[in-house]
Each structure stands twice: as structure tokens, then as C-alpha cells.
Amino acid sequence: NVHFTVRRAEGDEAARRPVDTSEANRQRIQELLAQASRTWDDYLGDEVATMPSVLPTLAQRYADAFPEAYKQDFEPRRALADIVRLERLDEGAIDLHLYRNTQADKGHWRFTLYVGGSGVSLSQVLPVLQSLGVEVLDERPYPVTLAGGEERWIYDFGLVATPELLRGSLEKDLDSSLAEAGRAGA
């Protein structure tokens, strides 16, 4: 058990107000402290319990291999889906995932490229994406080196549909059409 003593400054206005020592507030603070002390790997373990298709040992193998930048950018639930995709990849194979964050502006999408083995260069990928009528706003590469030296790569791209693509779309709502296509390909 860890015990904390918090002292408030005498001249502080908050020090003059009564302290909420209720059981409900104590439990709320205890829960906040418990959450603050949990790691991304702990939360991944919780998610594994809800997804029997990923063994805990496999999840831990990838948790050890994912770079810290990946863990900061993606929730453990997404990591489980990525683990499934990465496990299917042979050397030189690729997989794709198109998705849209709920808070993204209209026409803004994310595209993830999964590569088995050594990575690809941005100069190889950009022309392909641009030929599809999208502009690449950002790229986030994540090298995944598993114990034993096996390599995988995750490249996450921020895309925006060009005005030409939006104007040329036969559909009134290109975002809905792309979302449907993304679900069909997932």
C-alpha cells in the first residue's frame, strides 16, 4: 500500500474550503490513481481477454516489439487488430487498412500499410497514393522487430481527397462511400 499525505498552503483559498472525505470521493481518487499507474501493456492484456483469437503470449511478443511512438498513437484495441494483420504477413507481403477518425474533417482519412519484412520508402508509396487522387498529409512509420529478428512495418498515412476527386465523385457523400469500401476491405 502507498499512503499519501497532502498538505494545502495556509493562504490558499482552497485551503479554507472543507475537504470532501466521503467514501465515494475516496474511491474515485483511488480509481484515478490505479488508472494512472497502469501501462499500455496492462491495457493490452485487458483487451486480449476480450479477444480469444489472440493468445496472450502473442500479444506480449508484439507489445515488446511495438515502438513507444506506436503505443502513444494507438489504443490497445487497435493494436490487437494490427497484431492479427501482422501475423498473416509473409516476407514481402502487404496488407492495407483505410479508416476515418470520427473527429476528422470531411475528406480526411487515414491509410495504414502493413509490410512483412524490410520496410518501403516514402518515394515508393507516394506516387501510388497520389495516382488515386489523394494528397498525403503525413506519414508515421513504426518498425516492429520481433524477438528473433523478424521484421514488420506499419506505415500510417494521413490523406485528404483532392478537390478533383471530390468533384469527380459520382456519389454525393464520398466519405460514406470510402467508409463502406474500407469496411469491405477490412
Side-chain angles (χ1 to χ4, degrees):
N1 285 339
V2 177
H3 297 274
F4 293 93
T5 302
V6 179
R7 300 185 196 284
R8 301 185 312 183
E10 299 260 342
D12 188 7
E13 184 179 318
R16 289 184 234 132
R17 288 185 294 215
V19 175
D20 180 359
T21 58
S22 68
E23 181 62 17
N25 196 40
R26 186 193 67 76
Q27 287 179 354
R28 182 184 68 81
I29 292 170
Q30 188 173 346
E31 179 62 29
L32 289 171
L33 289 171
Q35 287 177 6
S37 66
R38 297 195 76 211
T39 66
W40 186 92
D41 290 17
D42 293 334
Y43 287 109
L44 181 66
D46 294 346
E47 289 296 326
V48 167
T50 68
M51 189 175 192
S53 62
V54 176
L55 296 174
T57 53
L58 180 63
Q60 188 58 54
R61 182 175 182 228
Y62 276 90
D64 294 341
F66 284 137
E68 286 304 312
Y70 177 90
K71 294 177 181 182
Q72 290 174 6
D73 291 343
F74 296 104
E75 297 293 324
R77 180 177 301 265
R78 163 68 188 263
L80 286 182
D82 286 351
I83 289 169
V84 170
R85 287 177 184 276
L86 291 169
E87 269 300 290
R88 287 190 229 144
L89 293 178
D90 293 325
E91 180 77 22
I94 63 168
D95 195 2
L96 314 168
H97 176 58
L98 178 68
Y99 67 100
R100 185 167 187 263
N101 291 328
T102 54
Q103 71 275 13
D105 293 336
K106 187 173 184 161
H108 288 250
W109 287 79
R110 304 284 320 163
F111 170 73
T112 305
L113 175 66
Y114 304 87
V115 179
S118 60
V120 296
S121 71
L122 191 55
S123 62
Q124 292 172 299
V125 178
L126 271 180
V128 175
L129 293 174
Q130 290 170 339
S131 73
L132 297 174
V134 295
E135 180 183 341
V136 178
L137 300 177
D138 66 274
E139 177 222 12
R140 299 178 193 160
Y142 306 99
V144 181
T145 305
L146 299 164
E150 293 174 70
E151 263 190 12
R152 308 274 194 278
W153 282 84
I154 299 173
Y155 296 92
D156 194 64
F157 297 92
L159 308 176
V160 64
T162 61
E164 296 77 23
L165 180 62
L166 290 171
R167 276 194 301 276
S169 174
L170 298 175
E171 298 291 325
K172 296 261 190 263
D173 188 358
L174 179 64
D175 280 344
S176 295
S177 298
L178 285 174
E180 196 61 40
R183 278 192 290 277

